[in-house]
Amino acid sequence: TKILAIAPYKGMAELLAANAKNRDDIDLTIEYGDLTEGLQIAKTMTFYENFDAIISRGGTAELIRKELTIPVIDVPLSVYDILRSIKTAESYGEKFAITGFSGITENAKILCDLLQLNITIITFHDKIEVLPELLELKERQFTFVICDQISFMTAQEIGLNSIVVPSGNESIRTALDDAVRSVQSIKKANKLSS
């Protein structure tokens, strides 16, 4: 299975590479890019090369899925990924919020409901919402955000401390498995219809 991975940060690219090295059922190409940059990379790479599927994360995966017809697999963020980030933020003892596209915030809401945590969670639907929302958090005396890559970069620019919710090893494995299964299902369906 020929897979293009668009990783928004270096750590995710490293995990993807490490997992792919142990598998003989995939041919993985990894590129760096977030949101529109990631979309542009996906368009360019799929124009010049034939991939079976694309793996990305969060808002970048959403954008690619809207623009391309190739299967796009979103690296899931497990509740464990988010819980680890919450515990890290709590250790700093600062007032913090969780921000990002729905890939992060939906699981964060579930986790906060289950654990009865009172944490401010803000979901972005478009890149243009990031700066105004983060500035408002800063105005409300928040000093720390748990976020996705685009929020991280913007938070750094305005002086807010932040950490990116990292995709854990189990989430990377799940995405690779999902990509292989998805492509196999499509190939099987195409054989049956021809």
Side-chain angles (χ1 to χ4, degrees):
T1 304
K2 201 162 181 205
I3 302 169
L4 171 63
I6 309 289
Y9 62 95
K10 189 178 181 183
M12 183 175 153
E14 290 167 354
L15 277 177
L16 280 159
N19 275 278
K21 195 169 56 174
N22 301 323
R23 300 180 66 145
D24 59 4
D25 59 339
I26 59 174
D27 175 9
L28 185 67
T29 301
I30 303 168
E31 296 288 330
Y32 290 105
D34 198 31
L35 293 175
T36 51
E37 181 189 1
L39 172 60
Q40 196 53 51
I41 291 167
K43 284 180 171 179
T44 304
M45 294 291 292
T46 56
F47 180 79
Y48 290 108
E49 228 175 306
N50 191 26
F51 290 97
D52 298 312
I54 296 175
I55 291 177
S56 194
R57 189 178 111 151
T60 307
E62 285 177 35
L63 278 176
I64 295 169
R65 193 175 289 115
K66 285 178 191 170
E67 295 279 330
L68 300 177
T69 56
I70 186 171
V72 178
I73 309 303
D74 201 338
V75 175
L77 277 173
S78 72
V79 290
Y80 297 113
D81 297 332
I82 295 165
L83 185 57
R84 281 190 290 265
S85 297
I86 289 172
K87 291 299 173 194
T88 300
E90 286 175 342
S91 73
Y92 287 105
E94 298 180 38
K95 186 176 179 184
F96 70 92
I98 299 171
T99 66
F101 285 83
S102 61
I104 287 178
T105 59
E106 283 176 12
N107 278 345
K109 285 176 186 171
I110 292 166
L111 183 64
C112 290
D113 286 346
L114 284 172
L115 298 178
Q116 298 178 343
L117 299 172
N118 187 19
I119 298 173
T120 299
I121 300 172
I122 297 172
T123 303
F124 304 127
H125 305 284
D126 193 290
K127 184 179 177 178
I128 60 170
E129 298 171 9
V130 177
L131 180 60
E133 290 283 2
L134 291 180
L135 285 170
E136 186 181 322
L137 282 175
K138 193 173 179 181
E139 224 173 82
R140 292 170 47 201
Q141 307 303 309
F142 283 84
T143 55
F144 198 92
V145 287
I146 297 170
C147 55
D148 56 11
Q149 186 65 26
I150 189 70
S151 303
F152 176 79
M153 292 172 2
T154 306
Q156 296 298 307
E157 289 170 13
I158 64 169
L160 263 178
N161 294 319
S162 55
I163 55 169
V164 174
V165 178
S167 295
N169 207 35
E170 62 281 349
S171 297
I172 297 293
R173 272 197 306 269
T174 298
L176 290 169
D177 290 342
D178 287 350
V180 170
R181 269 195 300 274
S182 176
V183 170
Q184 287 173 345
S185 293
I186 291 167
K187 287 180 179 176
K188 199 178 285 186
N190 288 343
K191 274 184 187 171
L192 290 173
S193 66
S194 57

